[in-house]
Amino acid sequence: MPAELLDHAKHARVAGSYLQPMLEAAAARGVSAQALALAAGLPAGALEPLPEALPADTYVTLLELAADLAGDPHFGLHVGERVKLGTYTVYGLILLSCRDFGQAFEQTMRYEQLAHDLGRSTLQVHGALADYAWHSNYPAHCRHLADSVFAGIRVFGNWLAGATLPPASLSLAHDGGDPAGHAEYLRVFGALPRFNAPSNVAQFDAAMLAWPVPNADVSLYPVLQQHAEQLLRQRAVPAAAGIAAQVHQAIVRRLAQGQVRVASVAEEMGMSPRTLQRKLADAGASFQQVLDEARFALARDYLRQPGLSLVDIAFLLGYQEQSAFTHAFREWSGMNPGAWRAAAR
């Protein structure tokens, strides 16, 4: 296997929230999270409560096992039908802030990796037609995985549109299973896919790219986009980095979700708060120091973005009030954030 593929397999992950629809679909068919973890050889309690993230190959294994345990030949479709806004983490919120479906597709190609590393999307426009393709990183496990992805896109797209979208001309690389069960594909997608296709592609009228997202809050887009970009940069920190860098990475992931605490970061990293604090002390750092450094670095990046207000930046940094952010920034830099922004310009 090429070195780049080995590196991908080592670091590929799935956000815990992306696992939720699978667990719900399995539970609805009598397969508990505990039973699924046991079948996969995972520790008891590995899936409940939801982990922060899990390896992508573990997710694929769980998907196949859940389908077998449930005896459901269309398990992937039923997983996709349970997709919600929170399934896609901050990437889902970005889609909700897009002005139209064209921008939503652009953001999907940029930010879907924040939800999972199961595959990647591309979009090509050929005159009056648009081709959305999803390239799986796990082609040997193609059926339930591809079905879940495209069913999820269908459900989420209808939700964004506030109406049932016209069915796309869908081509899937797998064989579709028993033809007697193809009615389930027709129910979910509104049209029967073409099976045994060279790739997984949904073709639709390119004019749909200009359709507005009816309930979009476009004012949130700059805030969410900046946060997503920071998360992408943090993903580039290698797992083998020092403890302070790993804590920094975990802090950035959690900042816009509210206050960041030692206990929550330690749990994500698989250790007790006391162990985490000891490891940081051994590295010559403290949790508060790493938190302040992360916030200060992010604050300087955000202040360089004219579209972000001080209230927005305070929110992104996990502060309840702008005044708390202003006080902290003055401690770090010796000047108010507004003055720092003016000087940076």
Side-chain angles (χ1 to χ4, degrees):
M1 182 182 293
E4 61 271 19
L5 293 183
L6 283 170
D7 185 66
H8 165 81
K10 181 179 179 182
H11 298 294
R13 55 175 282 284
V14 169
S17 58
Y18 198 81
L19 176 65
Q20 185 67 45
M22 183 209 298
L23 296 182
E24 290 181 2
R29 288 154 183 80
V31 181
S32 68
Q34 296 90 333
L36 190 54
L38 180 63
L42 299 175
L47 304 179
E48 247 180 4
L50 282 175
E52 181 77 18
L54 71 161
D57 55 356
T58 299
Y59 176 89
V60 174
T61 298
L62 289 170
L63 186 64
E64 297 289 329
L65 284 172
D68 290 342
L69 292 172
D72 183 358
H74 299 106
F75 187 70
L77 296 179
H78 301 146
V79 170
E81 284 189 296
R82 291 179 176 270
V83 159
K84 302 176 180 67
L85 176 64
T87 300
Y88 299 116
T89 65
V90 70
Y91 151 53
L93 294 174
I94 285 179
L95 297 184
L96 189 57
S97 68
C98 290
R99 63 182 180 275
D100 54 40
F101 277 84
Q103 187 183 21
F105 275 108
E106 292 172 0
Q107 303 313 298
T108 293
M109 289 181 282
R110 176 66 176 166
Y111 298 120
E112 68 180 325
Q113 61 186 292
L114 296 179
H116 64 76
D117 290 315
L118 298 168
R120 289 292 175 262
S121 299
T122 58
L123 181 71
Q124 292 184 325
V125 178
H126 310 277
L129 295 174
D131 289 346
Y132 167 80
W134 189 72
H135 310 275
S136 175
N137 291 330
Y138 297 87
H141 305 274
C142 61
R143 184 178 177 192
H144 294 299
L145 183 56
D147 285 357
S148 69
V149 168
F150 279 92
I153 291 170
R154 174 75 177 169
V155 167
F156 199 81
N158 288 344
W159 186 77
L160 281 181
T164 301
L165 293 170
S169 176
L170 180 60
S171 299
L172 295 171
H174 64 75
D175 62 13
D178 185 354
H182 285 182
E184 191 69 350
Y185 286 96
L186 183 61
R187 180 187 70 80
V188 173
F189 294 118
L192 189 64
R194 178 169 71 96
F195 300 107
N196 294 306
S199 55
N200 300 308
V201 180
Q203 187 174 79
F204 56 93
D205 186 347
M208 288 177 59
L209 296 173
W211 286 13
V213 177
N215 296 313
D217 188 346
V218 295
S219 66
L220 284 177
Y221 176 77
V223 179
L224 295 169
Q225 191 260 353
Q226 287 297 321
H227 183 51
E229 286 296 324
Q230 289 293 342
L231 292 176
L232 287 183
R233 285 194 284 272
Q234 288 302 313
R235 290 202 68 197
V237 176
I243 186 68
Q246 293 179 50
V247 170
H248 182 106
Q249 183 181 22
I251 286 171
V252 171
R253 282 197 297 271
R254 291 174 170 271
L255 273 176
Q257 301 172 18
Q259 291 184 331
V260 177
R261 301 188 182 280
V262 175
S264 60
V265 172
E267 181 181 4
E268 176 183 338
M269 298 179 67
M271 63 184 74
S272 70
R274 178 173 294 182
T275 299
L276 175 58
Q277 290 172 318
R278 177 178 56 78
K279 287 179 176 288
L280 284 170
D282 291 343
S286 69
F287 184 82
Q288 188 62 49
Q289 177 188 345
V290 177
L291 175 59
D292 286 345
E293 289 175 353
R295 279 175 159 163
F296 188 32
L298 289 171
R300 287 174 297 188
D301 282 346
Y302 292 148
L303 286 168
R304 292 187 180 98
Q305 307 300 321
L308 295 178
S309 70
L310 296 184
V311 173
D312 293 335
I313 295 171
F315 165 76
L316 288 172
L317 296 178
Y319 289 104
Q320 300 298 312
E321 302 287 343
Q322 179 189 328
S323 59
F325 161 56
T326 299
H327 175 76
F329 193 87
R330 190 185 301 117
E331 290 289 319
W332 300 328
S333 68
M335 57 197 310
N336 290 333
W340 192 97
R341 167 176 270 173
R345 289 174 180 169

